[in-house]
Amino acid sequence: EKTVIDLSGDELKVMSGSFSEVYEKITETTKEEFLYQLGELHIGEWSSHYSTKRFGIEVCDGVQWVLKIEYKDGKKKTYGGDNAFPYNFDELLDLLASV
C-alpha cells in the first residue's frame, strides 16, 4: 500500500492506493491539523533504518516499510525498516488512516 501526502499547496492533498493505482482521497483534516499531529510523533528522533539484526535475528520475509519526506527546499529524509519499527510507528499508521 502507498500513501502520498502533498503539503505543497494551501490544503492537504492525500493520494492512496496500491503501487499500480493511486487515487485522491477526500479528507476533512486540515493541513495545520495534520502537521501538528505529525509533529507530535517526533519523527526526527527516529533512526534512519530499523532491522531485527540488532537483536541477532535475521528474517528473510515479512514487512518492509519506507517513509520519505521531501522538504520545500529539496532536502529529503528517508526512514525505513525490515520487520522492525520505531516505538510509535502504529501512531503514524493511525494518523495516515485518519486523513
Side-chain angles (χ1 to χ4, degrees), residues 31-67:
K31 181 177 176 177
E32 291 76 19
E33 289 171 320
F34 178 80
L35 286 172
Y36 174 78
Q37 293 174 359
L38 187 64
E40 289 293 302
L41 296 176
H42 305 286
I43 292 173
E45 297 175 357
W46 288 7
S47 297
S48 60
H49 188 77
Y50 291 83
S51 173
T52 56
K53 288 181 183 179
R54 65 186 172 139
F55 303 112
I57 302 168
E58 190 164 342
V59 179
C60 296
D61 197 7
V63 176
Q64 288 75 43
W65 63 274
V66 175
L67 172 65

Side-chain angles (χ1 to χ4, degrees), residues 3 16 65 77 82 88 99:
T3 300
S16 189
W65 63 274
K77 185 69 179 166
D82 298 305
N88 59 350
V99 294

Side-chain angles (χ1 to χ4, degrees), residues 7-95:
L7 300 168
S8 62
D10 293 335
E11 295 184 17
L12 180 69
K13 185 175 179 182
V14 181
M15 284 81 56
S16 189
S18 67
F19 284 96
S20 61
E21 185 178 343
V22 176
Y23 59 91
E24 188 168 349
K25 285 178 63 175
I26 305 298
T27 181
E28 299 205 7
T29 304
T30 67
K31 181 177 176 177
E32 291 76 19
E33 289 171 320
F34 178 80
L35 286 172
Y36 174 78
Q37 293 174 359
L38 187 64
E40 289 293 302
L41 296 176
H42 305 286
I43 292 173
E45 297 175 357
W46 288 7
S47 297
S48 60
H49 188 77
Y50 291 83
S51 173
T52 56
K53 288 181 183 179
R54 65 186 172 139
F55 303 112
I57 302 168
E58 190 164 342
V59 179
C60 296
D61 197 7
V63 176
Q64 288 75 43
W65 63 274
V66 175
L67 172 65
K68 295 179 183 178
I69 300 173
E70 185 174 335
Y71 296 93
K72 192 185 299 188
D73 64 4
K75 290 182 183 176
K76 297 177 182 178
K77 185 69 179 166
T78 302
Y79 303 92
D82 298 305
N83 302 305
F85 310 88
Y87 67 95
N88 59 350
F89 189 76
D90 286 339
E91 292 175 42
L92 174 65
L93 295 180
D94 290 343
L95 174 60

